[in-house]
């Protein structure tokens, strides 16, 4: 019996090794540019899929003009002789990412058309938890292709938490060079920042009077709640677009005067809708949009928008350091002090979010 058990385990191990080897070969066909005919065939199939990225209901929603412009941008990306852009195009989630990015651009254009007087001057756009940067890159391209966006955005600030090279955005330098001579097209700038850090807004130069646009695509769990918290704090921001993702866990979540217990969503068939509805209810002048994204029926497809356009008296003076030589500057801005109890200055906490 022990011998038979040994033979069975050995066969299982060999089968597992065979599966791992096959998976490794499949991955290499997608990522290795020197792979012969198999890669060419796979790339051509993916290219066909990319060209039809806005086929179906999503294309009907954004309209024929934007569909054509997005197709033009993708063709330009494909023709670029840059390894970073090629890697972006080979991403297995390319179509899904572009559809979500187009949805953001569509709502942004709708906002600008609805309040043209509010957007007479350019302002920065902050892509929070930008990931691979599909949304930022596409909006930069659309600023070049669509007159409605030309000159409306001064800078696209891509924000995410990078640990030891975990985020590869080398292609942004190439795109910035391509569009450097095109008037009215913003540059891409990456900022390494943790959305949960108290000093994030300060590091981005956002205070109560800073104008700007705040976007967050597929923010998981409590990232969505933190995103809304930052938007509510920075009252100078003009517009917000949020696409929440996974349901949060842990303790209660409080935004303004509203509180949600994550455990109340456990087991609910419509937990995602309830989570999105809670976030929507916490944002001023907000709307909730169910977008016809392609993919599985469980794909997260709700986008929340909030506009402060036309709201007067919403900008208040930014928090400033008290004129007091005895105040610890580090503690005021970060709520921490490396000297702790040995610090000779008083610990006064600043009013940052």
């Amino acid at each position: 019996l022990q011998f038979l058990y040994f033979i069975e385990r050995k066969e299982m191990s060999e089968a597992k090794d065979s599966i791992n080897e096959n998976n490794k070969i499949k991955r290499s066909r997608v990522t290795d540019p020197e792979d012969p005919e198999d890669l060419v065939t796979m790339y051509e199939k993916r290219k066909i899929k990319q060209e039809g990225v806005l086929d179906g209901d999503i294309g009907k929603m954004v309209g024929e003009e934007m569909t054509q412009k997005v197709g033009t941008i993708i063709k330009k990306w494909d023709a670029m002789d840059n390894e970073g852009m090629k890697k972006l195009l080979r991403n297995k989630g390319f179509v899904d990412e572009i559809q979500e990015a187009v949805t953001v651009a569509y709502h942004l254009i709708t906002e600008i058309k609805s309040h043209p007087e509010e957007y007479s001057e350019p302002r920065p756009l902050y892509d929070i938890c930008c990931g691979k940067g599909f949304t930022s890159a596409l909006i930069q391209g659309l600023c070049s292709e669509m007159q409605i966006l030309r000159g409306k955005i001064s800078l696209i600030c891509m924000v995410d938490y990078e640990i030891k090279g975990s985020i590869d955005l080398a292609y942004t330098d190439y795109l910035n060079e391509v569009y450097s001579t095109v008037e009215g097209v913003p540059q891409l700038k990456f900022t390494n920042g943790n959305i949960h850090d108290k000093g994030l807004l300060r590091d981005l130069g956002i205070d109560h009077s800073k104008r700007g646009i705040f976007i967050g695509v597929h923010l998981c769990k409590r990232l969505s709640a933190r995103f809304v918290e930052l938007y509510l704090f920075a009252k100078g921001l003009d517009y917000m677009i949020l696409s929440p993702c996974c349901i949060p866990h842990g303790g209660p979540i409080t935004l303004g005067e509203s509180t949600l217990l994550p455990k109340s969503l456990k087991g609910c068939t419509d937990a995602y809708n309830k989570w999105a509805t809670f976030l929507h209810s916490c944002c001023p002048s907000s709307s909730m949009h169910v977008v016809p994204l392609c993919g599985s029926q469980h794909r997260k497809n709700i986008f929340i928008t909030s506009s402060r356009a036309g709201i007067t008296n919403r900008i208040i003076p930014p928090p400033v350091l008290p004129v007091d030589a005895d105040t610890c500057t580090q503690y005021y801005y970060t709520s921490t002090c490396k000297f702790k109890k040995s610090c000779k200055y008083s610990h006064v906490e600043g009013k940052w979010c």
Side-chain angles (χ1 to χ4, degrees):
L1 288 176
Q2 288 180 344
F3 176 74
L4 292 175
Y5 178 73
F6 171 77
I7 294 297
E8 183 181 4
R9 289 298 298 269
K10 184 178 180 181
E11 290 176 350
M12 291 175 61
S13 178
E14 291 175 350
K16 185 176 180 180
D17 291 341
S18 176
I19 292 172
N20 290 337
E21 186 64 26
N22 289 335
N23 289 338
K24 186 177 180 181
I25 293 173
K26 289 179 181 178
R27 286 194 297 269
S28 68
R29 288 176 178 172
V30 178
T31 57
D32 187 1
E34 297 180 359
D35 210 19
E37 297 180 359
D38 288 337
L39 175 64
V40 175
T41 304
M42 185 172 291
Y43 181 71
E44 288 299 325
K45 289 181 180 179
R46 181 160 293 179
K47 191 174 179 182
I48 293 171
K49 190 176 181 182
Q50 289 170 0
E51 291 175 352
V53 66
L54 296 184
D55 289 346
D57 293 335
I58 185 71
K60 295 176 183 177
M61 183 191 81
V62 302
E64 184 178 353
E65 180 187 5
M66 184 176 286
T67 299
Q68 292 177 351
K69 297 299 184 184
V70 171
T72 301
I73 292 170
I74 293 175
K75 289 178 181 178
K76 286 184 177 180
W77 286 355
D78 188 53
M80 291 178 178
D81 186 18
N82 178 266
E83 184 57 35
M85 293 306 302
K86 291 178 181 178
K87 186 175 180 181
L88 197 72
L89 287 164
R90 289 199 302 267
N91 187 284
K92 64 180 181 181
F94 180 86
V95 174
D96 294 343
E97 296 277 5
I98 290 297
Q99 287 188 352
E100 291 162 1
V102 169
T103 302
V104 171
Y106 168 74
H107 286 295
L108 178 58
I109 291 173
T110 302
E111 165 71 5
I112 293 173
K113 287 181 177 179
S114 301
H115 307 281
E117 67 287 346
E118 290 283 336
Y119 296 91
S120 57
E121 296 181 0
R123 65 213 56 206
L125 181 147
Y126 302 93
D127 187 0
I128 307 299
C129 299
C130 64
K132 294 178 175 62
F134 283 95
T135 303
S136 295
L138 186 70
I139 289 177
Q140 184 190 46
L142 287 172
C143 286
S144 172
E145 298 291 331
M146 301 187 72
Q147 190 62 37
I148 185 68
L149 285 175
R150 185 77 65 88
K152 296 296 188 295
I153 301 172
S154 59
L155 176 71
I156 298 178
C157 187
M158 309 165 71
V159 184
D160 213 328
Y161 189 38
E162 181 182 27
I163 304 175
K164 295 181 180 179
S166 58
I167 299 175
D168 183 10
L169 296 174
Y171 68 88
T172 57
D173 293 334
Y174 180 80
L175 286 180
N176 285 338
E177 184 177 352
V178 169
Y179 291 113
S180 61
T181 57
V182 184
E183 186 178 355
V185 177
Q187 296 280 283
L188 302 173
K189 177 186 177 184
F190 176 72
T191 298
N192 186 14
N194 188 338
I195 189 174
H196 292 294
D197 285 350
K198 185 173 182 180
L200 178 65
L201 290 180
R202 181 198 68 242
D203 295 340
L204 294 176
I206 301 176
D207 54 31
H208 291 287
S209 61
K210 181 74 172 182
R211 308 297 291 267
I213 299 163
F214 224 44
I215 63 174
V217 180
H218 264 197
L219 302 194
C220 294
K221 300 179 181 178
R222 290 177 177 262
L223 294 180
S224 293
R226 176 59 174 164
F227 177 89
V228 172
E229 183 183 20
L230 293 174
Y231 175 72
L232 294 176
F233 178 83
K235 301 185 185 301
L237 294 174
D238 303 280
Y239 191 57
M240 177 205 87
I241 306 175
L242 169 65
S243 172
C245 191
C246 336
I247 310 303
H249 304 288
I253 297 173
T254 300
L255 293 172
E257 299 179 355
S258 303
T259 300
L260 174 75
L261 294 174
K263 65 180 181 181
S264 66
L265 302 176
K266 190 175 181 180
C268 294
T269 55
D270 60 343
Y272 175 65
N273 289 334
K274 288 184 176 180
W275 171 230
T277 301
F278 168 75
L279 296 170
H280 158 57
S281 66
C282 297
C283 300
S285 305
S286 62
S287 302
M288 194 165 74
H289 313 269
V290 179
V291 180
L293 300 174
C294 299
S296 69
Q297 60 177 333
H298 302 295
R299 188 175 174 192
K300 309 300 187 295
N301 62 344
I302 292 179
F303 285 72
I304 302 167
T305 60
S306 174
S307 175
R308 288 185 172 126
I311 300 177
T312 58
N313 300 324
R314 62 184 172 92
I315 299 176
I316 61 177
V320 295
L321 184 67
V323 184
D324 185 354
D326 293 331
T327 300
C328 176
T329 306
Q330 183 181 11
Y331 188 86
Y332 182 82
Y333 285 118
T334 65
S335 299
T336 59
C337 177
K338 62 181 180 181
F339 298 107
K340 298 182 180 179
K341 294 182 179 180
S342 63
C343 181
K344 61 181 180 180
Y345 300 103
S346 60
H347 286 172
V348 178
E349 193 173 51
K351 297 179 181 178
W352 290 95
C353 184

